[in-house]
Amino acid sequence: MSSSRDIILERVREALAPLPKRAPLPEWDLSRARSAVAPAGADLWPAFAARLRAVNGTPVASPDELVALLGAKGWHHGYCDPALWPALKAAFPATFTVETAFDRERVDDYQFGITSAVGAIAETGTIVLNDRGTTTRLAALAPWVHVAAIRRENIVPDLASALAVLGDDPNVIWVTGPSKTADVEGILIEGVHGPGLQVALLLD
Amino acid sequence: MARQPIDQFVEGISAEKRASVYLGTKVTHEKRDKLLHDHYADPDALRRLAGEIKQHVVENLDTYLPKVEAKLQSNGVKVHWASTAEEACAAVHGIMKARGATKLVKAKTMVSEEIGLADYLEHRGIEALETDLGEFIVQIDHDHPSHIVRPIIHKSRKEIATSFEREGLGAYNDDPETITRRARAFLRKKFLQADVGLTGANFVSVESGRLVIVTNEGNSRFSLAATKCHIALVGIEKLVPRDRDLGLFLNLLARSATAQQLTVYTEFISGPKAAAQPDGPEEMHVIFVDNRRTEVLASECREILRCIRCGACLNVCPVYRQVSGHAYRSVYPGPVGAVLSPLLEGDKFADKADLPKASSLCGACNEVCPVNIPIPDLLLRLRNKGKREHAPLAEAGSPPMGAWALMASSPAAWKTALVAGKLMNVLPKTWIPIPAMKAWTDTRTLPEWRGGEFRKWLRQRPRKADGTKGSPQSHTP
Amino acid sequence: MASDRQLPRADRRVMLMATCLCDAFYADAARATVEVLEHLGCTVEFPEGQTCCGQPAFNGGDWDASRQVVRHAVKTFAGDLPVIVPSGSCAAMLTHGTALEFEKEADLGEVRQLGRRTWELADFIVNGLGVKTWPGRYEGRIAFHRSCHCRGSETVPAALALLSSIAGASVAPFGESDQCCGFGGTFSVSFPHISSAMGTLKLEHIRASAPDVLVSVDMSCLMHMAGLAEKAGQPIRTQHVAQVLRDALRNGNLL
């Protein structure tokens, strides 16, 4: 008895056999995928920040600004990637409890999670995370606030450029603003399963 | 005369429901249109290009499928093949049994709807929970999605609040934000307890073996952060040749589906999690599902396999806007469903032979399709198939054409009929024993019959002096 | 579609396909087509044996019946003269629909030959004859219905260019102008509820722009909308594009 694999592939071959010719693969210039809002220039942070705001994301340009934002909302308990913490620690007053190990048994205890982004896309306001750069997937997803720490030089201008640098990480995720839905009567609600506030923190 | 089921269905839809479906689809369609034109000088050229790439994939599946299988395997993914819905369900069940798994969280996948996965697993003692908010509501209501992208476009917040109360998710509250927060809290626990995360795939790159999954809610991501085993159900047509092609498809998909520049979460998954990563699947399975796709491939409607499930054709379709999704009695409603659903019935095509008729052939679907599927042409081909196979549902409510064809290929009979038709001006319309006539005159008046008048004018009008201009030549070849 | 079509001859001899609807109901639209073409210096031949383009059966799925009628049209309109049709829908049938239903037929070539020289009227005037503005005078606010079978063709921009160039005329925009009126041929009788609902919505949009007249390149759409409007007790005035062009000539004493 043939395997399902062989049956399917045989059916595919039979279905295609009568075609007199096959449609060719068109070549196309990646610049065609660039939208009118894709920026150019050396410093892409301002353009990225503007596009991030356009998708209701929150760019912050310094650790102090981040702490002010979290403090104002009363979000004092969170997680931080241990590799990032030494650089950020000084900005956080003692009123904050920041853990550097994430406990999945207490996902709802963390009001914010700070992890590293490996890049960002200015055209779309997108943060790029991957498995090797993110200490824990859950810390970047479960807390109400996700803070992605980004280096200026890792921002790429457009989506097509970001595709070219996906690299060999088994899991790359592009995050474009807070988690959202419009399932109920088309009304936009943010923070469905993921963060309700998506922050990009510039590391300089 | 038998009536068309979809036309009958529309009578049962409340004005409120019809208005909300109309508004929801109209708003998305108009935003889509604006975004595409604001962002691209010639979005139609991009749609055509994307269509050419997908058509190339469809016509070269024989080489691409083994290629992508090898790539996935070399990435550490276990590849399975399912030729039927039953086999696909059994493959999921088999993977779970082997792991001793009993709880599955599901991201939104149309293939899983198509194969009836949730029911299959529930009957075998496995909890298979929908995690997309809309799909979750569909599931607790034992309902069916009525739109490819917006499964509960047919439901009001009041109905949802009532369902949540019934399911013990909190006292009646129809505020959409409260509804969303309650689902978040409930489903979060389920994610963390689940053994397996099941997703579909929007695209699979043959070049890299990357699965691309897009969601706005982050439910797919949560299931892949919380569980240790990932199963992806993938229709065999979901391939794109190269990673770079995703630059086109991701841009078109987000704008076409939800009028976004990019969907919130776009995941590129080429295998189990990285070794150092504490969260996420250690084991990854891809199940390639045929379920009659090879029959569609062999048919004269193979272009429908380009579809990337964006729902833009539903949003623009004047018929869908009136009838909404359930009228189509299928997993895939709207214009794409009117083509795909009857084909996926296989030898029971006749059961859905009416779907291709439920269109004024206005062509709006083709104009918005991000992969430029000639949906009206495919509907016409299926109407012809219905006629050839004498499917009663294809014939219902349609005037027979035999006598007309005879008359319309005989000039003498035609001319006689033109003049005889004048009788219609004196007979009360309700006496005319033609059902099609009644279907017309119930809601519309008929213009006055003027058969033969134009020809008479041509013959009798005075000729002009110059002999050429103003002197039409009447001739009979 | 536009690339392989045959341009008109220098002597401006053309054949007219009046369409079955004009033959049966809308004699004046056909007459206006003749008058407009003659004003442009065309010599119009009217093959008496003509009947229909075959579209009703094509759309109904009865391609055997349709092909029978198309073959009759191919015979009736034999030759190399351009065939002018005052209907975007019938033109689309001959330029596109027949290619589909004759795909596997031996006489595909002859059918395509007719398709290549078939022109919708406004398209012919603007893109065939190169006439881009229209003389005369027409007082009125026009709601122009883009009939669906003109999608992807040159007809809509052509008709809009002509209409908006007429002294005294203005084209009034209205909501969701790319949506179908609900006619759809046999769809209108096999799906009467949906068809009527679509048409009623269309009429609401059109009325909101308070036009003096509803104009289209297709009498079929106009028949549907006018019939709905009249049955609902709110009749609207409709005219074929050819009638507007002809009336403009008359008002300008050019005819």
Side-chain angles (χ1 to χ4, degrees):
Chain A
M1 206 181 96
S2 314
S3 67
S4 295
R5 175 188 187 276
D6 295 341
I7 292 171
I8 293 170
L9 292 178
E10 181 53 29
R11 283 187 193 150
V12 168
R13 280 190 290 270
E14 276 174 21
L16 293 172
L19 294 187
K21 58 180 182 352
R22 310 282 182 93
L25 175 61
E27 284 307 324
W28 62 283
D29 187 328
L30 266 176
S31 66
R32 289 181 69 182
R34 266 176 72 91
S35 71
V37 293
D43 180 8
L44 292 167
W45 169 259
F48 165 75
R51 297 309 298 164
L52 179 59
R53 279 190 205 98
V55 289
N56 283 354
T58 311
V60 297
S62 71
D64 289 337
E65 204 183 316
L66 172 67
V67 170
L69 172 80
L70 296 173
K73 292 281 192 178
W75 293 319
H76 286 106
H77 188 174
Y79 163 86
C80 182
D81 175 344
L84 290 169
W85 187 235
L88 301 180
K89 198 161 62 176
F92 282 81
T95 46
F96 282 79
T97 307
V98 180
E99 301 179 39
T100 53
F102 190 84
D103 181 359
R104 69 173 267 152
E105 302 304 316
R106 300 185 285 112
V107 289
D108 291 326
D109 285 1
Y110 305 94
Q111 292 165 311
F112 59 88
I114 308 173
T115 67
S116 275
V118 292
I121 310 172
E123 180 183 21
T124 49
T126 300
I127 289 151
V128 181
L129 311 177
N130 69 15
D131 256 12
R132 292 186 195 119
T134 305
T135 43
T136 121
R137 292 186 188 181
L138 277 173
L141 186 70
W144 183 254
V145 183
H146 175 230
V147 180
I150 291 165
R151 296 199 176 275
R152 201 186 295 264
E153 65 269 24
N154 291 339
I155 305 173
V156 298
D158 53 37
L159 186 149
S161 318
L163 281 172
V165 294
L166 282 173
D168 62 354
D169 196 282
N171 190 289
V172 178
I173 180 160
W174 293 355
V175 181
T176 308
S179 152
K180 64 183 183 186
T181 185
D183 272 348
V184 180
E185 294 188 357
I187 296 159
L188 177 70
I189 304 292
E190 292 176 333
V192 188
H193 298 295
L197 193 75
Q198 179 63 57
V199 177
L201 165 67
L202 179 65
L203 290 182
D204 259 334
Chain B
M1 184 167 64
R3 292 188 50 199
Q4 281 288 339
I6 293 182
D7 196 57
Q8 279 175 283
F9 188 92
V10 77
E11 291 176 273
I13 305 174
S14 70
E16 189 193 8
K17 198 159 280 188
R18 219 195 284 195
S20 79
V21 172
Y22 168 71
L23 197 69
T25 50
K26 174 182 185 290
V27 166
T28 309
H29 164 68
E30 286 172 355
K31 282 188 187 162
R32 166 215 165 269
D33 217 43
K34 181 171 182 333
L35 194 63
L36 273 171
H37 285 95
D38 283 356
H39 283 184
Y40 294 105
D42 188 359
D44 286 339
L46 294 181
R47 297 190 306 110
R48 286 194 296 272
L49 175 62
E52 286 168 20
I53 294 173
K54 280 296 276 191
Q55 188 67 20
H56 163 78
V57 168
V58 167
E59 294 186 11
N60 290 276
L61 281 175
D62 50 349
T63 51
Y64 280 137
L65 283 168
K67 252 192 216 173
V68 76
E69 176 189 42
K71 192 69 208 177
L72 285 164
Q73 286 168 340
S74 78
N75 290 344
V77 178
K78 292 180 180 151
V79 178
H80 311 252
W81 299 81
S83 63
T84 62
E86 167 82 21
E87 277 184 26
C89 290
V92 175
H93 189 217
I95 294 164
M96 293 193 69
K97 269 199 301 195
R99 292 183 61 89
T102 58
K103 291 190 168 76
L104 175 140
V105 278
K106 234 174 123 278
K108 187 167 156 32
T109 116
M110 295 308 293
V111 184
S112 75
E113 297 284 341
E114 196 184 306
I115 64 174
L117 179 69
D119 281 352
Y120 181 99
L121 293 176
E122 295 281 352
H123 284 133
R124 285 156 184 80
I126 286 174
E127 181 182 277
L129 197 69
E130 299 286 353
T131 59
D132 172 86
L133 179 60
E135 295 283 348
F136 172 67
I137 291 163
V138 163
Q139 188 174 36
I140 62 175
D141 281 353
H142 306 286
D143 197 355
H144 295 284
S146 67
H147 188 288
I148 292 174
V149 174
R150 301 227 351 239
I152 53 166
I153 194 167
H154 62 292
K155 277 189 197 294
S156 70
R157 64 173 87 185
K158 291 190 185 111
E159 292 169 84
I160 298 163
T162 307
S163 302
F164 269 43
E165 188 175 33
R166 186 193 63 225
E167 297 295 318
L169 294 167
Y172 182 95
N173 187 324
D174 62 14
D175 167 36
E177 183 156 359
T178 305
I179 289 168
T180 308
R181 295 289 167 265
R182 286 173 174 177
R184 176 184 172 102
F186 176 80
L187 288 168
R188 176 157 293 206
K189 287 194 192 76
K190 296 291 187 181
F191 279 124
L192 291 164
Q193 292 162 0
D195 306 303
V196 172
L198 183 123
T199 69
N202 296 87
F203 307 100
V204 182
S205 162
V206 176
E207 174 187 40
S208 62
R210 280 183 224 275
L211 269 67
V212 184
I213 301 170
V214 306
T215 73
N216 274 315
E217 298 181 3
N219 54 319
S220 156
R221 179 62 172 177
F222 216 121
S223 70
L224 299 186
T227 66
K228 291 294 164 199
C229 176
H230 175 199
I231 303 175
L233 281 171
V234 183
I236 56 168
E237 81 283 17
K238 288 282 162 192
L239 312 182
V240 296
R242 307 159 293 205
D243 285 3
R244 66 198 303 274
D245 297 318
L246 294 165
L248 195 59
F249 289 106
L250 289 171
N251 274 313
L252 284 170
L253 175 60
R255 287 174 176 84
S256 303
T258 47
Q260 288 169 281
Q261 196 180 353
L262 193 58
T263 315
V264 176
Y265 296 97
T266 305
E267 292 177 84
F268 301 86
I269 304 159
S270 55
K273 71 177 184 64
Q277 175 57 243
D279 303 327
E282 290 154 353
E283 195 176 300
M284 179 173 168
H285 301 263
V286 165
I287 304 172
F288 282 114
V289 180
D290 177 351
N291 196 30
R292 301 194 191 278
R293 281 165 175 70
T294 46
E295 288 178 31
V296 180
L297 187 65
S299 78
E300 50 189 3
C301 295
R302 68 177 64 84
E303 290 91 342
I304 202 68
L305 294 175
R306 295 181 200 165
C307 175
I308 59 171
R309 310 285 189 261
C310 72
C313 63
L314 280 63
N315 293 335
V316 79
C317 177
V319 175
Y320 178 88
R321 287 179 177 185
Q322 294 293 337
V323 306
S324 64
H326 291 166
Y328 294 81
R329 317 189 299 281
S330 308
V331 170
Y332 301 103
V336 61
V339 177
L340 192 55
S341 299
L343 289 169
L344 293 180
E345 291 291 319
D347 53 9
K348 290 190 181 148
F349 171 83
D351 290 355
K352 290 186 182 161
D354 60 314
L355 268 50
K357 306 280 278 191
S359 165
S360 63
L361 298 173
C362 80
C365 46
N366 172 239
E367 277 191 345
V368 300
C369 177
V371 285
N372 197 29
I373 301 172
I375 295 177
D377 289 356
L378 304 186
L379 292 172
L380 283 158
R381 289 198 161 119
L382 292 180
R383 289 179 182 194
N384 181 233
K385 178 178 159 78
K387 174 73 188 171
R388 286 196 318 261
E389 295 175 6
H390 306 289
L393 278 174
E395 312 264 0
S398 301
M401 290 293 166
W404 164 85
L406 213 58
M407 194 167 72
S409 41
S410 152
W414 185 263
K415 279 189 214 168
T416 310
L418 276 181
V419 179
K422 291 211 165 169
L423 271 176
M424 295 204 337
N425 294 338
V426 290
L427 283 177
K429 302 286 187 294
T430 47
W431 287 13
I432 300 173
I434 306 171
M437 187 70 76
K438 182 171 160 24
W440 177 274
T441 54
D442 275 350
T443 53
R444 316 137 177 123
T445 58
L446 264 178
E448 192 185 338
W449 189 269
R450 298 180 185 279
E453 283 184 22
F454 168 65
R455 293 175 187 237
K456 195 170 156 196
W457 171 80
L458 265 188
R459 278 193 308 273
Q460 295 180 351
R461 68 184 185 138
R463 303 216 160 192
K464 286 191 181 173
D466 64 6
T468 49
K469 182 180 169 180
S471 53
Q473 323 282 307
S474 224
H475 74 97
T476 312
Chain C
M1 194 182 346
S3 58
D4 66 340
R5 60 183 185 175
Q6 192 182 311
L7 286 167
R9 297 154 40 120
D11 65 5
R12 296 205 169 186
R13 275 175 64 205
V14 300
M15 285 195 267
L16 171 68
M17 176 183 276
T19 79
C20 58
L21 269 187
C22 288
D23 223 355
F25 295 111
Y26 299 106
D28 189 60
R31 175 178 165 170
T33 303
V34 172
E35 291 173 321
V36 162
L37 286 170
E38 287 177 349
H39 167 79
L40 293 166
C42 295
T43 305
V44 182
E45 297 188 6
F46 182 81
E48 282 280 344
Q50 65 181 273
T51 57
C52 170
C53 67
Q55 184 168 206
F58 173 63
N59 286 356
D62 191 346
W63 290 10
D64 285 339
S66 175
R67 281 188 289 251
Q68 192 182 338
V69 178
V70 170
R71 286 191 173 109
H72 175 73
V74 169
K75 210 168 58 184
T76 310
F77 292 92
D80 65 351
L81 295 184
V83 176
I84 314 304
V85 196
S87 158
S89 185
C90 306
M93 175 64 196
L94 293 171
T95 55
H96 180 78
T98 53
L100 208 59
E101 68 174 352
F102 280 79
E103 206 170 27
K104 294 172 192 152
E105 301 293 312
D107 49 352
L108 173 67
E110 287 138 274
V111 170
R112 297 300 298 134
Q113 193 267 354
L114 172 59
R116 277 195 300 275
R117 58 191 168 89
T118 300
W119 295 78
E120 181 283 323
L121 175 67
D123 184 19
F124 180 72
I125 295 172
V126 173
N127 300 303
L129 300 178
V131 174
K132 307 205 187 294
T133 56
W134 199 252
R137 188 158 192 92
Y138 186 95
E139 297 294 339
R141 194 172 151 80
I142 294 170
F144 180 73
H145 170 63
R146 302 157 182 261
S147 55
C148 292
H149 287 173
C150 298
R151 288 177 204 265
S153 81
E154 312 287 326
T155 286
V156 169
L160 282 172
L162 292 174
L163 291 174
S164 52
S165 73
I166 304 172
S170 65
V171 178
F174 58 87
E176 298 197 277
S177 61
D178 57 346
Q179 283 273 312
C180 175
C181 72
F183 174 64
T186 53
F187 173 80
S188 63
V189 290
S190 45
F191 293 81
H193 292 91
I194 301 170
S195 166
S196 302
M198 284 162 65
T200 303
L201 184 63
K202 182 102 233 168
L203 285 169
E204 281 170 22
H205 280 305
I206 289 168
R207 286 205 184 92
S209 76
D212 298 313
V213 59
L214 172 61
V215 174
S216 169
V217 298
D218 272 295
M219 282 320 303
S220 50
C221 306
L222 292 178
M223 175 170 84
H224 178 60
M225 288 186 278
L228 266 178
E230 189 177 66
K231 189 83 175 188
Q234 293 175 279
I236 50 165
R237 187 168 161 249
T238 58
Q239 275 199 309
H240 190 276
V241 157
Q243 292 171 298
V244 175
L245 299 181
R246 188 263 324 269
D247 289 357
L249 295 177
R250 277 187 185 160
N251 296 337
N253 292 320
L254 296 164
L255 207 64

